[in-house]
Amino acid sequence: MAEMKHMKKPEPKLPRRRPPEREPKEPKPRVPMGRDRAFRAALAEEYGVAEVPRRLQRRTQKTLDSLPDTLPVRRRPVLRAVRSMATAAAVLAVTFAALLGLNTTHPQLTEALPGLGSVFAAMNGSPTPSPLPTAEPTPRPEFQPVTVLSRGDFDGLLVVEDAWSDGKSLLLDLSLSPGEDFYAICKNMGRVGDVPLWPATVGLNEYGEEYLDNTCSVKIHSGEDSHGVEGDALSAFMPDGEDGLRARWLLDLEDLQAGEELKVDISIPDLTANMGEYDTIGIYSWSPGFEATITLPVTKDKNRAFSLQASDGPVTLKSVDYSPSRVVVDVSLPYLGLAEDILPGNGEFDGLPLGFYARLTCQGPDGEKFIYSNASLENKSDTDPELSGQADMRYTFTVADDKADPRELKSLLVLTLYEFPPEYGVVPGYGSRVTAEFTIDLNTGRAYASENYLEEGCEKGDASKTTSERLLESGYDDLLLLPSENSLDNINVGADPLAHFVISAPSEKSGRELTVNCYLEDTVYSSFTFVLGGDYKDGYDSSYTGYRYFAGREYLDTAVTIAYPAYVAETMGYVPFDRLELVDTITQKVIIPDLSIALIETEEKLLGKKYKEVSDNASVSGSESVL
């Protein structure tokens, strides 16, 4: 305690005085970074860069020159500078880390950076070579046209415009450009622009008669297999406006595999033009000696094949085997009878089944309807369709329109089955009756019943009814006015003879007596009585009877001709009668009140309501075909 008393007390601390404020010193002029020796030495030693890039120098100098001469004084400048440097360092570190990642995946980019490129090149050891371009999918090669020069006396060129194969067929599109000699002959013969050229020459048969001998040939080689196509299967070069002449040859192949290469040899030694009106008059021939060899791959990327069970009434679509050049469909149809059962008397076309006539169409990319060629039919049934009541039919369609490219068709297919063959004057698209129709979706492999035929003025028939049933429904007390035997132009025409018509009836109705009454202003001006199956009756009015078989029964046909009454012609002229009436002579029962109206009703029942609208044009449109 005594020691503590003698310790000195600490001296009190005086408050620190703030130093007096000093005038800010004038900033020294900055040395440009490009001229700073210390900086350049450090840069060269650290990074191997002898000089700052000029672009960086200019931008840095421009920034420094834009600063004011006197910077504002801020509190704690040292601390702020440290913080700014830390932030810049962090950003630089993140940026450099990102560049390091970029350098790992794309060293060419970092090595190309101005100034820093050499740094990354040093890190990588050596400049990284540029990568090879990425291989893109190889597009399907397009066929390059092949031009063939004439080696003979024909002044013109042959061009193989296109060639392709889907494994089922080989399609060749050819164009022919004749020279002045051909067109001069055409002009002299008055046949400008409408003369086809046939790949043929003129031959003589054993009787000295001239004929066209098709000397063209196409040989197809696939691997070790090869086969030839004779000229008879190759069409002529047809005029195509001002573009010369063109031909499309479609040749059948075996079912080849995709990727196989075809070698095709084309030989056209002769060309012939018929300038006259007849086959062997005005014939001119040339020998161009065209020879060409082309190669092409088999492409099957658009081929489709699937089985299905789509139904439209009693008709069933069972399978579709599609390729752009050829479409095969299998259809099961009920046996309805023969076309001649309803429209008898068509000669060479008698015996054709009813309801089997198919057409295949497709909508083109421009909206135009594409029609496939006439279908070939093959009966695949194990038994006689007439006995079994059902037929399994196979239809094969091919491309037909020379101006259409089936490879570009991507829309739905429409399969329409018509009742009658076109030779009967009932033409698809012109009022004919349809048995069934299917729309086929190639993308989904499905098909469904559709009604596109309505747009063509067609109508659906009842495929569940046989011809016998239809004949019974269209008759009048077992009497028929068949459209093939009768026409409105021959019944009550206001001329002499007044009427000619045929009454058909089952043979067991033979001996039935009938009377035709001719009315004018509700008055019978003429009557004629005849007997079904009776003896020939000749005179001013006449009748006779013949026999035929159809719809499984024997029918008799009684043809009746009625003369125009002389006293009516003398007093009133040859005016049409109001109506011709058919009456049972014994019972006086009116069987048909008006023969003209009855014929129209029969046509509607047997052929459809639309048929009577186009029956007058049947002979004109009958040249079209769906078979």
Side-chain angles (χ1 to χ4, degrees):
M1 292 296 293
E3 295 179 357
M4 293 182 62
K5 290 180 179 181
H6 298 285
M7 290 181 64
K8 292 184 179 181
K9 296 181 179 179
E11 295 181 359
K13 294 184 178 180
L14 297 178
R16 178 180 293 181
R17 295 181 180 179
R18 178 178 296 174
E21 295 183 359
R22 298 179 181 179
E23 293 292 332
K25 294 183 179 180
E26 291 291 334
K28 295 181 180 181
R30 299 179 179 86
V31 178
M33 186 166 50
R35 299 178 183 176
D36 192 334
R37 295 180 178 179
F39 178 77
R40 293 172 60 183
L43 187 65
E45 180 180 356
E46 183 69 21
Y47 299 106
V49 179
E51 185 177 355
V52 178
R54 291 187 178 275
R55 184 181 298 177
L56 180 58
Q57 292 182 31
R58 288 196 298 269
R59 291 186 178 179
T60 305
Q61 190 63 45
K62 184 177 180 181
T63 303
L64 294 176
D65 293 342
S66 65
L67 296 177
D69 295 337
T70 304
L71 295 176
V73 178
R74 297 187 180 183
R75 302 176 66 181
R76 309 178 76 176
V78 176
L79 180 59
R80 184 172 184 82
V82 171
R83 290 178 177 175
S84 299
M85 293 176 63
T87 302
V91 173
L92 185 59
V94 172
T95 304
F96 195 76
L99 290 176
L100 287 175
L102 181 64
N103 182 64
T104 302
T105 56
H106 300 283
Q108 298 82 11
L109 296 179
T110 56
E111 292 175 8
L113 292 175
L116 298 179
S118 57
V119 177
F120 285 103
M123 292 175 57
N124 297 333
S126 62
T128 304
S130 300
L132 297 175
T134 304
E136 298 181 356
T138 303
R140 191 171 73 181
E142 295 184 359
F143 181 81
Q144 299 300 321
V146 176
T147 301
V148 187
L149 301 178
S150 172
R151 300 188 299 178
D153 59 357
F154 182 76
D155 181 17
L157 296 175
L158 173 70
V159 180
V160 184
E161 300 282 357
D162 198 5
W164 59 275
S165 174
D166 54 20
K168 301 291 185 66
S169 305
L170 168 65
L171 189 142
L172 299 172
D173 281 327
L174 310 170
S175 66
L176 194 62
S177 301
E180 296 180 358
D181 178 53
F182 170 75
Y183 289 111
I185 296 176
C186 291
K187 185 176 181 180
N188 292 335
M189 298 294 294
R191 297 288 303 277
V192 179
D194 64 344
V195 178
L197 273 170
W198 295 87
T201 187
V202 180
L204 294 175
N205 60 21
E206 57 183 336
Y207 303 105
E209 299 172 340
E210 293 182 335
Y211 68 96
L212 294 182
D213 181 17
N214 199 317
T215 56
C216 175
S217 66
V218 177
K219 294 183 179 179
I220 305 168
H221 311 274
S222 175
E224 298 180 356
D225 299 329
S226 63
H227 68 279
V229 179
E230 297 301 328
D232 292 340
L234 305 175
S235 61
F237 290 87
M238 304 302 296
D240 187 24
E242 298 180 356
D243 298 331
L245 301 95
R246 295 182 178 275
R248 168 168 284 185
W249 295 345
L250 186 66
L251 312 176
D252 290 338
L253 299 175
E254 298 295 334
D255 195 359
L256 303 179
Q257 298 299 317
E260 290 190 41
E261 187 175 72
L262 298 182
K263 178 184 175 184
V264 183
D265 296 326
I266 303 173
S267 175
I268 306 178
D270 303 295
L271 288 171
T272 298
N274 185 1
M275 305 288 185
E277 298 180 356
Y278 304 99
D279 291 342
T280 59
I281 298 179
I283 293 180
Y284 291 81
S285 294
W286 296 266
S287 298
F290 289 129
E291 300 286 342
T293 298
I294 61 175
T295 58
L296 65 150
V298 174
T299 304
K300 304 181 71 171
D301 56 335
K302 291 187 179 180
N303 293 16
R304 304 285 187 274
F306 44 84
S307 299
L308 44 86
Q309 289 291 329
S311 298
D312 185 5
V315 182
T316 303
L317 176 62
K318 303 172 68 175
S319 68
V320 177
D321 187 354
Y322 170 84
S323 62
S325 65
R326 187 168 62 187
V327 184
V328 181
V329 295
D330 288 336
V331 184
S332 179
L333 301 110
Y335 181 77
L336 304 179
L338 301 178
E340 66 178 281
D341 293 344
I342 292 178
L343 291 176
N346 284 271
E348 61 179 307
F349 304 113
D350 287 350
L352 295 177
L354 190 70
F356 283 26
Y357 308 98
R359 183 175 67 163
L360 187 68
T361 61
C362 183
Q363 196 87 1
D366 56 355
E368 184 179 359
K369 178 176 289 186
F370 175 85
I371 302 176
Y372 282 78
S373 68
N374 303 333
S376 61
L377 281 72
E378 181 183 359
N379 185 6
K380 306 293 289 186
S381 302
D382 296 332
T383 58
D384 186 351
E386 186 174 0
L387 300 177
S388 62
Q390 199 75 13
D392 293 328
M393 304 299 297
R394 171 165 292 178
Y395 298 90
T396 301
F397 302 90
T398 54
V399 292
D401 190 350
D402 290 350
K403 297 181 180 179
D405 187 348
R407 290 171 294 184
E408 301 301 325
L409 299 177
K410 301 178 181 179
S411 60
L412 303 175
L413 297 176
V414 177
L415 174 67
T416 309
L417 296 162
Y418 297 89
E419 286 192 350
F420 292 94
E423 292 82 1
Y424 280 71
V426 189
V427 180
Y430 295 91
S432 57
R433 184 175 279 179
V434 170
T435 306
E437 182 186 276
F438 299 95
T439 295
I440 304 168
D441 189 338
L442 297 174
N443 295 320
T444 63
R446 295 184 176 182
Y448 52 88
S450 56
E451 296 180 335
N452 296 280
Y453 56 84
L454 296 176
E455 299 176 1
E456 297 182 337
C458 301
E459 60 183 329
K460 175 74 73 66
D462 189 350
S464 63
K465 294 181 179 179
T466 63
T467 53
S468 297
E469 294 172 329
R470 292 168 66 173
L471 289 172
L472 183 62
E473 291 178 355
S474 62
Y476 297 86
D477 197 11
D478 286 338
L479 302 180
L480 288 170
L481 288 171
L482 291 175
S484 61
E485 301 292 334
N486 297 281
S487 70
L488 293 176
D489 294 338
N490 293 331
I491 299 178
N492 192 16
V493 295
D496 195 8
L498 171 64
H500 176 80
F501 57 90
V502 177
I503 295 293
S504 299
S507 58
E508 58 265 26
K509 300 296 180 179
S510 179
R512 187 176 183 180
E513 190 173 306
L514 302 172
T515 300
V516 178
N517 296 322
C518 305
Y519 281 85
L520 190 62
E521 296 179 354
D522 296 328
T523 300
V524 177
Y525 274 72
S526 177
S527 294
F528 173 64
T529 300
F530 62 96
V531 177
L532 292 176
D535 296 334
Y536 175 71
K537 185 176 182 180
D538 194 10
Y540 195 58
D541 301 323
S542 63
S543 66
Y544 65 93
T545 299
Y547 293 86
R548 79 171 81 228
Y549 284 88
F550 56 91
R553 303 175 69 181
E554 183 184 56
Y555 275 71
L556 53 87
D557 295 337
T558 300
V560 178
T561 301
I562 300 177
Y564 202 93
Y567 72 96
V568 176
E570 293 173 356
T571 58
M572 302 178 62
Y574 288 97
V575 296
F577 278 67
D578 293 338
R579 60 188 176 91
L580 273 64
E581 174 187 74
L582 188 65
V583 180
D584 187 297
T585 306
I586 304 301
T587 64
Q588 290 298 300
K589 175 185 175 182
V590 177
I591 302 173
I592 302 178
D594 190 321
L595 289 175
S596 297
I597 294 177
L599 178 58
I600 294 175
E601 292 176 346
T602 303
E603 289 178 343
E604 292 180 356
K605 293 176 182 178
L606 293 179
L607 307 177
K609 295 181 180 179
K610 297 291 183 179
Y611 176 76
K612 62 184 177 66
E613 300 176 6
V614 296
S615 58
D616 293 339
N617 300 324
S619 60
V620 176
S621 58
S623 60
E624 301 185 23
S625 178
V626 296
L627 287 179

